[in-house]
Amino acid sequence: MSLDPAAASPDRALVFEVIGRVEGFARAAREAGFEWLAEDFAGLGDAGEDALDGDDRDEDAVQSALLYLTLPSIAGMKRLLGWWTAYAAGRDPPDDLAKEWWKLFGYLADVRVWSAKDRVDPSLAAYVARSLEKDPRALVPVEFDLWYLGTEDRRRRAIDELRALLDASGAAVLDEASIPAIQYHGVLASIPAGIALEAAAKTGPLAAASMVMTVRPQSLYSVELPAPIPPERERRSAPSAPDARPAIAVLLDGYPVQSHDLLRNRLDIEEVDIAGAEAPLETRFHGTAMASLILHGDLAAAEAPLERVLKVVPILAGAQDAHVESTPVDKLPLAMIHRAVEALAARNGGVMEAVLFNHSVCDVSAPFVRRPTPWAKLLDELSHRHRILFVVSAGNVHAPIPLPAYGNHAEFLAANPDERGIAILRGVEAAKGRRGILSPAEAVNVLTVGALHADGAAAAPANQVDPYGFAVNNICSAIGLGFNRSIKPDLVLEGGRQIAAAVPHAAGFAIEGRQIAQLGQRTAAPDVAGGTSDFVRRSTGTSNAAALATRHGIRIAEALEAVFASSGERWQDQPTRAVMLKALLTHGCRWGEIGGVLDRAYPPADPNWQRRRETISRFLGFGRPDVDGVVEGDTNRITLLADDLIVGEELHEYRIPIPNALLNSREIRRISLTLSWCTPIHPANTAYRGVRLQLVDREGKGQYWGAVDPFLQPHPNFGVKGTTIHRVFEGARRIGRLPEGGLFVGVQALSLNEAFKDQRVPYALATTIEVAQTLRADIYADVRSRVRPRVRQRERV
């Protein structure tokens, strides 16, 4: 049984349409003696926060969920279908085994073989209608995900059959990709309007094509070019020559203006799919802004630029007569990402030199629903194989937000600003089912970044409504959760302020987030009039926040380079390099004041505090990072970093020295633990993650030390569902005795799939001990002197 049709066998697949939520069906299955074997169903049907809703995206709107069952034989499939037919006809079960199935059938609306009803994506109809609005005879780009069959010969026959079907329909194949590592075979084709309308209605030859698993809208990232504004300029001197060190980070985005004063001699552009001629200068906004934010940050903050060269592989194109910058309409974005990464690895003999990949693009029409998309699976697989970290934007959602607290725009404008901000936050939370993260932000090995309502701009114009007086998520930032109810986004960073604009809505008064020229982060931009190379403007969004996360990642990477170089090692050669970055980027995260605001904004409907924490996690993930506090030590703070490879069922034990000055002390002390790992994936199995790690104490639990208590943060159960666990503990009770031998922290590995039981998985564990400044002791020197003798050169045990 699977939540993902890709895990089913096309000739022996049955579809179970569950009435209501899946957990009711799961509970009945357990009572009947059935056993769930996959992590998708961990806790399914149990009480508490582990229960899985029928559909994470909109719990109120979704009335059923789909499960996919593969039986060992055709005969078994026919037998089960026969039982369902008998049950639906009101007949009694023929035997004792059938009686158990009759109990389960009560939770099902339908049992059927895979058909057009399942093959055609529900969003295809609206997509085709939008595509034909301007020209009812236009060709419609559509994607086909084929069943990934067992042999190359079968897959080749399947694609030949699909091509013949498309030719007969008057369609043209635009792009094709087969990626065995994620069991993906996809085709992008432009199909005639009539055929597209037939497919959207679940009729016609394409809807019935047995070799096709899914027919869906084209994956596309598209951003409108900004409106012209009075020019602003930023004059800064460019380096005389590029930095000689190899690039740590790669920008997968639009083609930047490499001659811009802020970018000259700072970029290394490598063309794979997109050439400069496909990106006219006046369309190069997005890539230019992302490169500027990575290298300089928000220009309003006047931070020192990074000296390291930024590698760029363009994947967005534009046209002189178009008003958008987008992934090309004749290419699969997933395939472009795959070709870009593999091309960079091939340049260096198959070994990837770069570690950070900024991925501020997403599928604008594909919110994540339940299972990782092929795009997300690709990022997860590339992350593990090449030991790289993708920094992915959560996505921007521009759908209206109904605000039932206000009857009209006048009431909204007259409201107390703080109360209005709380009402907007509650409106966003109520609409969470339509504001989920966009694919591929659900990928489990990546770092997903949401946007905060913050920038270095001046106050909003008097005639505009600045929705918040605090740095919570900006209105358009997509919210979580991720796959298996894991924490997504992982963290949040500044993404520029957006205004709250009133919009018509059938349900009454509603608003939407809107970007204006006076607010946002100041970045390099093309001069559309030509002739200058210092043009700047402001922009907002989760793309900006992801770019800032990449900037912080480069800073951390350079600090790690120095640490490893001091012991004669090269950090880039470490198999744990990417997870070190992920752990340290997350390690300084706190909900802080923003968490308190959300805690007040979302009073729980019931006393279940875990649900309350889950709501805050949807917005903030683990929180806003403090990179300076991680990179720089102090007399009252020390950060320790461990890294290693671990195999399923192993336990790695660490002992953290507690400063002697804390003995008999009532001073505030804080301990932060962050564990990140990169898991292999099984792309067509319900146990998608190959290996799960946990942080445990000596008893296999998560208490660690009685002198500290958990801080306001996500519930630890949510961390276990992803690939990062972040715990913060704080206390001020008198310490009568220090832990003997140091604080026990264990890293426990568990294989979730037999195929990965011997797989060595990279992980990194960051630990920070911090005490109040009032404690007059150098805990940095104390802990460092006690750790150093234990650390053996090279092995770093």
Side-chain angles (χ1 to χ4, degrees):
M1 185 75 76
S2 172
L3 291 168
D4 186 353
S9 175
D11 55 345
R12 290 175 285 111
L14 290 181
V15 180
F16 282 15
E17 190 170 332
V18 182
I19 300 170
R21 296 182 175 180
V22 180
E23 58 197 278
F25 174 82
R27 190 177 297 113
R30 280 210 176 91
E31 292 171 356
F34 292 92
E35 181 181 359
W36 300 103
L37 300 178
E39 69 163 332
D40 273 0
F41 302 96
L44 203 60
D46 296 339
E49 70 280 2
D50 287 334
L52 178 66
D53 298 322
D55 189 311
D56 257 353
R57 303 275 46 89
D58 194 341
E59 296 161 13
D60 298 324
V62 174
Q63 300 303 315
S64 65
L66 300 179
L67 296 174
Y68 308 97
L69 177 69
T70 297
L71 289 167
S73 67
I74 298 293
M77 184 176 75
K78 290 180 178 178
R79 185 185 187 194
L80 192 55
L81 282 171
W83 282 352
W84 169 254
T85 301
Y87 171 83
R91 297 199 289 270
D92 292 331
D95 53 41
D96 288 342
L97 177 59
K99 285 181 182 178
E100 301 303 327
W101 278 98
W102 253 241
K103 296 175 185 177
L104 293 187
F105 287 159
Y107 291 85
L108 301 178
D110 194 15
V111 176
R112 60 179 182 272
V113 296
W114 189 267
S115 66
K117 185 175 182 180
D118 311 289
R119 184 173 292 113
V120 178
D121 190 282
S123 64
L124 187 67
Y127 167 76
V128 170
R130 289 195 307 271
S131 301
L132 299 176
E133 276 178 350
K134 292 184 179 179
D135 183 359
R137 295 175 296 179
L139 294 173
V140 181
V142 172
E143 281 188 38
F144 299 87
D145 295 337
L146 281 71
W147 294 100
Y148 196 82
L149 302 174
T151 66
E152 176 63 30
D153 183 58
R154 291 181 67 194
R155 292 195 293 272
R156 195 69 261 160
R157 288 203 305 272
I159 191 64
D160 289 343
E161 290 174 14
L162 178 60
R163 282 181 174 274
L165 201 59
L166 291 170
D167 287 343
S169 302
V173 173
L174 302 175
D175 198 8
E176 177 191 343
S178 178
I179 307 175
I182 59 169
Q183 298 188 16
Y184 168 80
H185 199 168
V187 170
L188 172 64
S190 58
I191 62 178
I195 302 296
L197 289 168
E198 275 187 349
K202 300 181 173 62
T203 61
L206 297 181
S210 61
M211 78 292 297
V212 174
M213 182 178 68
T214 308
V215 186
R216 57 189 176 93
Q218 178 188 20
S219 303
L220 186 74
Y221 177 76
S222 177
V223 58
E224 288 191 13
L225 299 182
I229 59 172
E232 294 183 46
R233 290 180 168 79
E234 182 87 19
R235 299 189 181 278
R236 295 192 184 184
S237 58
S240 58
D243 190 277
R245 295 170 295 174
I248 287 173
V250 178
L251 174 63
L252 300 171
D253 209 279
Y255 213 115
V257 180
Q258 65 266 49
S259 61
H260 197 288
D261 284 355
L262 292 165
L263 305 180
R264 191 185 306 115
N265 287 334
R266 298 184 185 277
L267 304 178
D268 176 14
I269 298 178
E270 184 153 343
E271 297 179 350
V272 177
D273 269 290
I274 302 298
E278 298 173 82
L281 187 68
E282 61 271 21
T283 68
R284 298 185 183 185
F285 281 93
H286 201 268
T288 301
M290 295 307 103
S292 177
L293 284 165
I294 292 171
L295 292 167
H296 297 276
D298 185 349
L299 293 171
E303 298 175 9
L306 299 178
E307 298 303 323
R308 204 76 171 239
V309 165
L310 176 66
K311 173 80 78 173
V312 182
V313 181
I315 59 169
L316 304 183
Q320 291 179 334
D321 57 345
H323 299 287
V324 296
E325 192 177 5
S326 69
T327 49
V329 295
D330 60 346
K331 296 185 188 297
L332 291 161
L334 172 155
M336 294 177 67
I337 298 296
H338 184 249
R339 289 190 289 264
V341 173
E342 297 299 354
L344 291 180
R347 298 289 188 274
N348 198 36
V351 178
M352 185 69 72
E353 181 74 18
V355 187
L356 278 166
F357 280 71
N358 190 95
H359 190 292
S360 289
V361 296
C362 56
D363 189 346
V364 293
S365 61
F368 158 67
V369 180
R370 294 201 307 182
R371 290 293 302 179
T373 57
W375 196 341
K377 292 176 183 180
L378 176 71
L379 298 191
D380 281 333
E381 194 279 328
L382 292 173
S383 297
H384 186 261
R385 180 158 52 88
H386 287 298
R387 303 294 192 246
I388 57 179
L389 176 62
F390 285 96
V391 179
V392 179
S393 54
N396 303 304
V397 180
H398 300 281
I401 302 165
L403 295 182
Y406 304 103
N408 53 51
H409 194 208
E411 285 185 25
F412 178 69
L413 291 175
N416 174 279
D418 289 339
E419 293 177 0
R420 184 169 60 201
I422 295 297
I424 293 172
L425 287 173
R426 288 176 177 164
V428 173
E429 198 278 334
K432 63 180 180 291
R434 295 174 294 278
R435 308 190 71 81
I437 57 175
L438 301 183
S439 170
E442 75 274 18
V444 298
N445 285 331
V446 309
L447 187 81
T448 303
V449 186
L452 291 176
H453 183 75
D455 55 43
N463 62 338
Q464 304 288 1
V465 175
D466 187 336
Y468 308 123
F470 36 82
V472 74
N473 302 62
N474 68 31
I475 293 181
C476 293
S477 184
I479 60 177
L481 300 167
F483 165 62
N484 200 28
R485 300 185 81 83
S486 60
I487 290 177
K488 291 288 177 179
D490 294 276
L491 54 84
V492 287
L493 278 164
E494 296 81 354
R497 288 175 292 157
Q498 299 163 340
I499 63 160
V503 292
H505 195 267
F509 181 71
I511 62 163
E512 68 177 12
R514 194 172 291 171
Q515 182 175 303
I516 60 173
Q518 298 90 337
L519 298 181
Q521 289 150 318
R522 189 176 166 98
T523 70
D527 180 3
V528 294
T532 65
S533 58
D534 55 4
F535 191 66
V536 297
R537 65 180 302 136
R538 298 185 183 277
S539 65
T540 67
T542 57
S543 293
N544 295 25
L548 291 183
T550 300
R551 175 177 171 81
H552 291 319
I554 295 171
R555 289 182 55 210
I556 292 173
E558 291 184 336
L560 287 169
E561 273 187 322
V563 169
F564 276 77
S566 68
S567 59
E569 297 177 281
R570 189 171 181 270
W571 170 73
Q572 282 92 335
D573 295 336
Q574 308 306 314
T576 53
R577 59 186 194 167
V579 290
M580 286 189 228
L581 289 183
K582 189 176 183 184
L584 291 176
L585 278 164
T586 311
H587 187 55
C589 284
R590 303 286 186 275
W591 281 356
E593 293 182 6
I594 318 170
V597 169
L598 291 176
D599 202 36
R600 294 190 297 274
Y602 303 128
D606 57 52
N608 190 331
W609 65 271
Q610 293 100 327
R611 291 294 191 193
R612 188 188 188 107
R613 296 286 176 87
E614 179 190 279
T615 297
I616 302 174
S617 299
R618 287 179 184 269
F619 283 78
L620 302 180
F622 292 111
R624 186 181 195 168
D626 174 13
V627 176
D628 290 338
V630 171
V631 173
E632 301 167 5
D634 205 339
T635 56
N636 71 318
R637 181 183 68 245
I638 185 169
T639 296
L640 308 172
L641 179 67
D643 65 298
D644 209 336
L645 302 173
I646 193 168
V647 177
E649 322 317 320
E650 281 187 351
L651 172 71
H652 287 189
E653 174 186 333
Y654 294 90
R655 297 297 187 94
I656 313 300
I658 299 299
N660 292 319
L662 287 178
L663 189 63
N664 295 317
S665 167
R666 293 183 184 274
E667 297 286 345
I668 293 176
R669 80 287 311 195
R670 180 180 293 172
I671 295 177
S672 304
L673 301 170
T674 306
L675 174 68
S676 287
W677 69 99
C678 188
T679 178
I681 62 162
H682 197 306
N685 191 293
T686 48
Y688 177 71
R689 297 181 304 168
V691 178
R692 182 178 75 203
L693 267 57
Q694 287 182 282
L695 276 177
V696 296
D697 61 13
R698 192 191 304 273
E699 307 301 322
K701 300 177 181 178
Q703 302 304 317
Y704 305 108
W705 190 26
V708 290
D709 299 307
F711 204 57
L712 180 64
Q713 59 190 314
H715 190 279
N717 284 7
F718 301 136
V720 174
K721 294 170 181 287
T723 56
T724 295
I725 299 170
H726 179 56
R727 306 291 311 277
V728 183
F729 302 88
E730 188 177 279
R733 291 191 293 275
R734 190 182 72 81
I735 301 173
R737 185 167 61 89
L738 298 179
E740 185 177 348
L743 193 68
F744 181 105
V745 177
V747 176
Q748 175 70 61
L750 175 67
S751 294
L752 299 174
N753 189 296
E754 185 68 18
F756 303 118
K757 65 183 181 67
D758 297 321
Q759 183 88 247
R760 301 174 76 210
V761 172
Y763 74 86
L765 171 65
T767 304
T768 292
I769 303 171
E770 185 175 5
V771 299
Q773 291 279 7
T774 51
L775 186 67
R776 298 188 178 279
D778 190 342
I779 72 155
Y780 186 98
D782 179 1
V783 174
R784 186 177 187 275
S785 66
R786 292 157 65 190
V787 168
R788 275 291 180 186
R790 297 198 208 169
V791 180
R792 287 184 287 168
Q793 194 77 337
R794 297 289 179 188
E795 294 182 54
R796 298 193 311 282
V797 175

